[in-house]
Amino acid sequence: MSTIHLLEIEFANNGQSQSLTLVLLQDEHDTILVDCGYPDFLGLLAEAVARCGIQLDSITKLIVTHHDIDHIGSLAALKRMYPQMDIIAHELEVPFVEGKQKSLRLEQAESSLDELSGEARGHAEQFIHFLQSLEPAPVDQKVTHGEKLPWCGGIEIVHTPGHMTGHISLYLPTTKTLIAGDAVVMEDGKLAIANPQFTLDMKEAIHSIQRLLTYDIEQIVCYHGGLFQGDAKQALRQLILAYTSKG
């Protein structure tokens, strides 16, 4: 028997109210967190898991969907505080999570700097500085597409590149649930591509959504937007159509 907890975390960012939906999976042996939010999120994480009757120190594994700072910002701090927690990431993401290669998001931000001026350049420079502050963390286990992890009723790794090269989503066959990461987001009750400005390869992103149609999905948890309620596969088809019909 496994349980899916949705951790709705609300916080202020640059004076604006924002929210993220993290996922906590639990069975009789393991408690697995999927992504961990921005830097300095430990207090918010502790409050969120406590609302589910769980303590942070009971987390045995943390699965990383990709290395954006809003997904792994507190990873190093968590690992330092709870060294028994295993960190799991796609093999293509490992060098970025561990800091052995420059963040693709940082490369993207730096490459656009010369095109900007004035206030826009100032914001970009602040963003670059923020990305540079990300603390790397060691990965304990590499995974690949199609790999089936035996915990919490079974977790299948779905490689969903586009937003990031090594981005993964997680499919839970027992509940027909997709933990999407940033493969898709929810805006105004509808599925959408995660901010196209931050999607490194839009063609790959659309192909990844097409890949999701091969799974028997009944519900989708979006990191940005929460639980999608409705006909998930039809919504995915409509999203593909919206992008492939452009131009």
Side-chain angles (χ1 to χ4, degrees):
M1 179 86 179
S2 62
T3 305
I4 304 173
H5 301 282
L6 301 188
L7 308 180
E8 304 281 354
I9 298 180
E10 296 184 359
F11 59 102
N13 186 19
N14 291 326
Q16 293 184 327
S17 177
Q18 294 189 13
S19 65
L20 300 174
T21 303
L22 282 65
V23 178
L24 196 67
L25 306 174
Q26 187 181 35
D27 65 14
E28 61 270 25
H29 303 294
D30 283 291
T31 302
I32 302 173
L33 182 64
V34 183
D35 291 332
C36 60
Y38 281 102
D40 302 318
F41 245 52
L42 263 61
L44 292 170
L45 279 170
E47 291 174 8
V49 300
R51 290 195 292 269
C52 303
I54 301 167
Q55 301 300 315
L56 272 183
D57 61 7
S58 68
I59 295 174
T60 56
K61 299 172 176 68
L62 196 157
I63 301 177
V64 169
T65 61
H66 63 295
H67 70 276
D68 266 331
I69 196 166
D70 58 330
H71 291 254
I72 66 164
S74 289
L75 191 61
L78 276 168
K79 182 67 172 177
R80 187 162 46 247
M81 187 170 290
Y82 309 112
Q84 76 280 6
M85 179 189 68
D86 286 338
I87 297 173
I88 299 156
H90 189 276
E91 59 183 3
L92 294 176
E93 288 292 288
V94 171
F96 303 109
V97 175
E98 294 187 334
K100 294 173 182 175
Q101 283 185 238
K102 182 186 286 190
S103 159
L104 295 179
R105 190 67 67 216
L106 180 57
E107 283 188 356
Q108 181 192 30
E110 289 175 340
S111 69
S112 66
L113 198 58
D114 290 340
E115 303 167 10
L116 303 173
S117 61
E119 188 176 348
R121 185 180 177 91
H123 288 317
E125 288 173 343
Q126 286 181 343
F127 184 53
I128 287 169
H129 181 70
F130 182 46
L131 293 177
Q132 289 171 334
S133 72
L134 178 63
E135 187 181 357
V139 174
D140 299 290
Q141 182 175 342
K142 302 175 185 179
V143 292
T144 58
H145 175 69
E147 193 165 338
K148 295 178 174 64
L149 306 176
W151 320 301
C152 297
I155 303 169
E156 184 168 349
I157 302 299
V158 187
H159 185 207
T160 44
H163 185 75
M164 276 283 185
T165 306
H167 186 287
I168 57 172
S169 302
L170 308 176
Y171 179 63
L172 312 178
T174 55
T175 57
K176 300 182 180 180
T177 299
L178 179 79
I179 302 172
D182 281 357
V184 291
V185 299
M186 194 161 63
E187 297 175 353
D188 300 321
K190 295 181 179 180
L191 294 183
I193 295 280
N195 193 336
Q197 177 187 348
F198 292 110
T199 297
L200 297 183
D201 189 326
M202 183 59 73
K203 186 176 179 180
E204 280 278 20
I206 295 165
H207 180 72
S208 290
I209 297 169
Q210 291 170 328
R211 170 176 277 176
L212 293 177
L213 286 173
T214 64
Y215 294 82
D216 186 9
I217 298 169
E218 291 187 354
Q219 58 181 0
I220 300 175
V221 183
C222 301
Y223 195 72
H224 302 279
L227 182 65
F228 175 80
Q229 297 177 315
D231 188 333
K233 299 197 84 166
Q234 180 61 19
L236 291 171
R237 291 189 195 97
Q238 289 173 344
L239 181 54
I240 293 166
L241 183 62
Y243 276 86
T244 54
S245 64
K246 288 183 178 179

